[in-house]
Amino acid sequence: MPRPLGELEDAVMTRVWKWNRPVTVREVLEDLQQERSIAYTTVMTVLDNLHQKGWVRREAEGRAYRYEAVSTRAAYAAALMNDAWSQSDNPAAALVAFFGMMSPEQREALRDAVRMVQGPETPAPQNPPASPSEQSPAATEGDGGR
């Protein structure tokens, strides 16, 4: 399972995920510099580390690289939750405690997610189909009486 990203790794990946396109070190640097003082080489090292860890792929463009996320932030969050849950000695109790921490909006999102995973529910037929012996002769004529 993935280890949680460090603070700077998360700041870099947040931009890569948000922009959802290949990015350069310079682009990430310029955006990060709006929040903090940071060097080009630091951002380059973080992106290289993220590449080595498999979080981003890169493609050469001239003398630089363009970096692109390998998976989504949602997949990252899901993997962290799964890892934490699997370490519990009582997974049901862990889920109950987790649900208790959720806001009403988060619980509604959870209900929506469960509905999506379960798929559309097929409504029960209002009138069950008649058995072959109950079908009218017209209904069985077209299939040769079968």
PDB file of all heavy atoms in Angstrom, residues 130-146:
ATOM      1  N   ALA A 130     -46.702 -14.508 -16.917  1.00  0.00           N
ATOM      2  CA  ALA A 130     -47.520 -15.721 -16.771  1.00  0.00           C
ATOM      3  C   ALA A 130     -46.690 -16.940 -17.126  1.00  0.00           C
ATOM      4  O   ALA A 130     -45.807 -16.880 -17.970  1.00  0.00           O
ATOM      5  CB  ALA A 130     -48.740 -15.617 -17.681  1.00  0.00           C
ATOM      6  N   SER A 131     -46.992 -18.041 -16.480  1.00  0.00           N
ATOM      7  CA  SER A 131     -46.304 -19.279 -16.825  1.00  0.00           C
ATOM      8  C   SER A 131     -46.810 -19.728 -18.199  1.00  0.00           C
ATOM      9  O   SER A 131     -47.885 -19.319 -18.634  1.00  0.00           O
ATOM     10  CB  SER A 131     -46.589 -20.353 -15.767  1.00  0.00           C
ATOM     11  OG  SER A 131     -47.958 -20.700 -15.803  1.00  0.00           O
ATOM     12  N   PRO A 132     -46.062 -20.582 -18.913  1.00  0.00           N
ATOM     13  CA  PRO A 132     -46.486 -21.000 -20.253  1.00  0.00           C
ATOM     14  C   PRO A 132     -47.899 -21.556 -20.279  1.00  0.00           C
ATOM     15  O   PRO A 132     -48.641 -21.346 -21.223  1.00  0.00           O
ATOM     16  CB  PRO A 132     -45.460 -22.058 -20.647  1.00  0.00           C
ATOM     17  CG  PRO A 132     -44.254 -21.756 -19.822  1.00  0.00           C
ATOM     18  CD  PRO A 132     -44.776 -21.138 -18.558  1.00  0.00           C
ATOM     19  N   SER A 133     -48.327 -22.237 -19.236  1.00  0.00           N
ATOM     20  CA  SER A 133     -49.678 -22.816 -19.255  1.00  0.00           C
ATOM     21  C   SER A 133     -50.749 -21.740 -19.110  1.00  0.00           C
ATOM     22  O   SER A 133     -51.885 -21.963 -19.464  1.00  0.00           O
ATOM     23  CB  SER A 133     -49.816 -23.859 -18.140  1.00  0.00           C
ATOM     24  OG  SER A 133     -49.657 -23.224 -16.884  1.00  0.00           O
ATOM     25  N   GLU A 134     -50.353 -20.552 -18.576  1.00  0.00           N
ATOM     26  CA  GLU A 134     -51.323 -19.485 -18.394  1.00  0.00           C
ATOM     27  C   GLU A 134     -51.356 -18.520 -19.570  1.00  0.00           C
ATOM     28  O   GLU A 134     -52.196 -17.648 -19.632  1.00  0.00           O
ATOM     29  CB  GLU A 134     -51.001 -18.692 -17.120  1.00  0.00           C
ATOM     30  CG  GLU A 134     -51.128 -19.513 -15.847  1.00  0.00           C
ATOM     31  CD  GLU A 134     -50.635 -18.760 -14.630  1.00  0.00           C
ATOM     32  OE1 GLU A 134     -49.969 -17.713 -14.796  1.00  0.00           O
ATOM     33  OE2 GLU A 134     -50.898 -19.199 -13.514  1.00  0.00           O
ATOM     34  N   GLN A 135     -50.394 -18.662 -20.530  1.00  0.00           N
ATOM     35  CA  GLN A 135     -50.350 -17.735 -21.649  1.00  0.00           C
ATOM     36  C   GLN A 135     -51.501 -18.010 -22.595  1.00  0.00           C
ATOM     37  O   GLN A 135     -51.959 -19.138 -22.747  1.00  0.00           O
ATOM     38  CB  GLN A 135     -49.021 -17.866 -22.406  1.00  0.00           C
ATOM     39  CG  GLN A 135     -47.842 -17.315 -21.624  1.00  0.00           C
ATOM     40  CD  GLN A 135     -46.563 -17.410 -22.430  1.00  0.00           C
ATOM     41  OE1 GLN A 135     -46.539 -17.979 -23.519  1.00  0.00           O
ATOM     42  NE2 GLN A 135     -45.500 -16.844 -21.901  1.00  0.00           N
ATOM     43  N   SER A 136     -51.930 -16.963 -23.265  1.00  0.00           N
ATOM     44  CA  SER A 136     -53.012 -17.122 -24.238  1.00  0.00           C
ATOM     45  C   SER A 136     -52.485 -17.852 -25.461  1.00  0.00           C
ATOM     46  O   SER A 136     -51.295 -17.844 -25.726  1.00  0.00           O
ATOM     47  CB  SER A 136     -53.543 -15.743 -24.633  1.00  0.00           C
ATOM     48  OG  SER A 136     -52.556 -15.041 -25.361  1.00  0.00           O
ATOM     49  N   PRO A 137     -53.342 -18.473 -26.210  1.00  0.00           N
ATOM     50  CA  PRO A 137     -52.910 -19.186 -27.416  1.00  0.00           C
ATOM     51  C   PRO A 137     -52.182 -18.258 -28.377  1.00  0.00           C
ATOM     52  O   PRO A 137     -51.235 -18.667 -29.024  1.00  0.00           O
ATOM     53  CB  PRO A 137     -54.204 -19.703 -28.025  1.00  0.00           C
ATOM     54  CG  PRO A 137     -55.203 -19.700 -26.919  1.00  0.00           C
ATOM     55  CD  PRO A 137     -54.753 -18.649 -25.958  1.00  0.00           C
ATOM     56  N   ALA A 138     -52.557 -16.993 -28.447  1.00  0.00           N
ATOM     57  CA  ALA A 138     -51.890 -16.071 -29.374  1.00  0.00           C
ATOM     58  C   ALA A 138     -50.441 -15.871 -28.977  1.00  0.00           C
ATOM     59  O   ALA A 138     -49.580 -15.691 -29.820  1.00  0.00           O
ATOM     60  CB  ALA A 138     -52.629 -14.730 -29.395  1.00  0.00           C
ATOM     61  N   ALA A 139     -50.145 -15.924 -27.688  1.00  0.00           N
ATOM     62  CA  ALA A 139     -48.779 -15.705 -27.227  1.00  0.00           C
ATOM     63  C   ALA A 139     -47.886 -16.892 -27.559  1.00  0.00           C
ATOM     64  O   ALA A 139     -46.696 -16.747 -27.681  1.00  0.00           O
ATOM     65  CB  ALA A 139     -48.768 -15.468 -25.713  1.00  0.00           C
ATOM     66  N   THR A 140     -48.435 -18.073 -27.703  1.00  0.00           N
ATOM     67  CA  THR A 140     -47.607 -19.237 -27.971  1.00  0.00           C
ATOM     68  C   THR A 140     -47.581 -19.621 -29.440  1.00  0.00           C
ATOM     69  O   THR A 140     -46.745 -20.429 -29.828  1.00  0.00           O
ATOM     70  CB  THR A 140     -48.108 -20.446 -27.134  1.00  0.00           C
ATOM     71  OG1 THR A 140     -49.450 -20.695 -27.457  1.00  0.00           O
ATOM     72  CG2 THR A 140     -47.933 -20.197 -25.654  1.00  0.00           C
ATOM     73  N   GLU A 141     -48.469 -19.055 -30.258  1.00  0.00           N
ATOM     74  CA  GLU A 141     -48.507 -19.440 -31.656  1.00  0.00           C
ATOM     75  C   GLU A 141     -47.236 -19.029 -32.395  1.00  0.00           C
ATOM     76  O   GLU A 141     -46.759 -19.758 -33.237  1.00  0.00           O
ATOM     77  CB  GLU A 141     -49.720 -18.810 -32.358  1.00  0.00           C
ATOM     78  CG  GLU A 141     -51.011 -19.488 -31.961  1.00  0.00           C
ATOM     79  CD  GLU A 141     -52.207 -18.799 -32.621  1.00  0.00           C
ATOM     80  OE1 GLU A 141     -52.006 -18.120 -33.649  1.00  0.00           O
ATOM     81  OE2 GLU A 141     -53.317 -18.942 -32.105  1.00  0.00           O
ATOM     82  N   GLY A 142     -46.710 -17.856 -32.080  1.00  0.00           N
ATOM     83  CA  GLY A 142     -45.555 -17.369 -32.833  1.00  0.00           C
ATOM     84  C   GLY A 142     -44.304 -18.165 -32.590  1.00  0.00           C
ATOM     85  O   GLY A 142     -43.374 -18.100 -33.354  1.00  0.00           O
ATOM     86  N   ASP A 143     -44.222 -18.938 -31.530  1.00  0.00           N
ATOM     87  CA  ASP A 143     -43.011 -19.692 -31.276  1.00  0.00           C
ATOM     88  C   ASP A 143     -43.222 -21.181 -31.522  1.00  0.00           C
ATOM     89  O   ASP A 143     -42.482 -22.016 -31.017  1.00  0.00           O
ATOM     90  CB  ASP A 143     -42.504 -19.447 -29.846  1.00  0.00           C
ATOM     91  CG  ASP A 143     -43.464 -19.937 -28.776  1.00  0.00           C
ATOM     92  OD1 ASP A 143     -44.516 -20.488 -29.113  1.00  0.00           O
ATOM     93  OD2 ASP A 143     -43.144 -19.759 -27.580  1.00  0.00           O
ATOM     94  N   GLY A 144     -44.234 -21.508 -32.288  1.00  0.00           N
ATOM     95  CA  GLY A 144     -44.468 -22.910 -32.633  1.00  0.00           C
ATOM     96  C   GLY A 144     -44.979 -23.719 -31.471  1.00  0.00           C
ATOM     97  O   GLY A 144     -44.776 -24.923 -31.432  1.00  0.00           O
ATOM     98  N   GLY A 145     -45.570 -23.058 -30.483  1.00  0.00           N
ATOM     99  CA  GLY A 145     -46.112 -23.790 -29.348  1.00  0.00           C
ATOM    100  C   GLY A 145     -45.064 -24.142 -28.313  1.00  0.00           C
ATOM    101  O   GLY A 145     -45.335 -24.876 -27.406  1.00  0.00           O
ATOM    102  N   ARG A 146     -43.819 -23.660 -28.482  1.00  0.00           N
ATOM    103  CA  ARG A 146     -42.753 -23.974 -27.512  1.00  0.00           C
ATOM    104  C   ARG A 146     -42.811 -23.105 -26.313  1.00  0.00           C
ATOM    105  O   ARG A 146     -43.141 -22.008 -26.241  1.00  0.00           O
ATOM    106  CB  ARG A 146     -41.377 -23.795 -28.155  1.00  0.00           C
ATOM    107  CG  ARG A 146     -41.090 -24.924 -29.120  1.00  0.00           C
ATOM    108  CD  ARG A 146     -39.756 -24.755 -29.713  1.00  0.00           C
ATOM    109  NE  ARG A 146     -40.054 -24.290 -31.083  1.00  0.00           N
ATOM    110  CZ  ARG A 146     -39.198 -23.874 -31.934  1.00  0.00           C
ATOM    111  NH1 ARG A 146     -37.969 -23.744 -31.620  1.00  0.00           N
ATOM    112  NH2 ARG A 146     -39.507 -23.515 -33.129  1.00  0.00           N
TER     113      ARG A 146
END
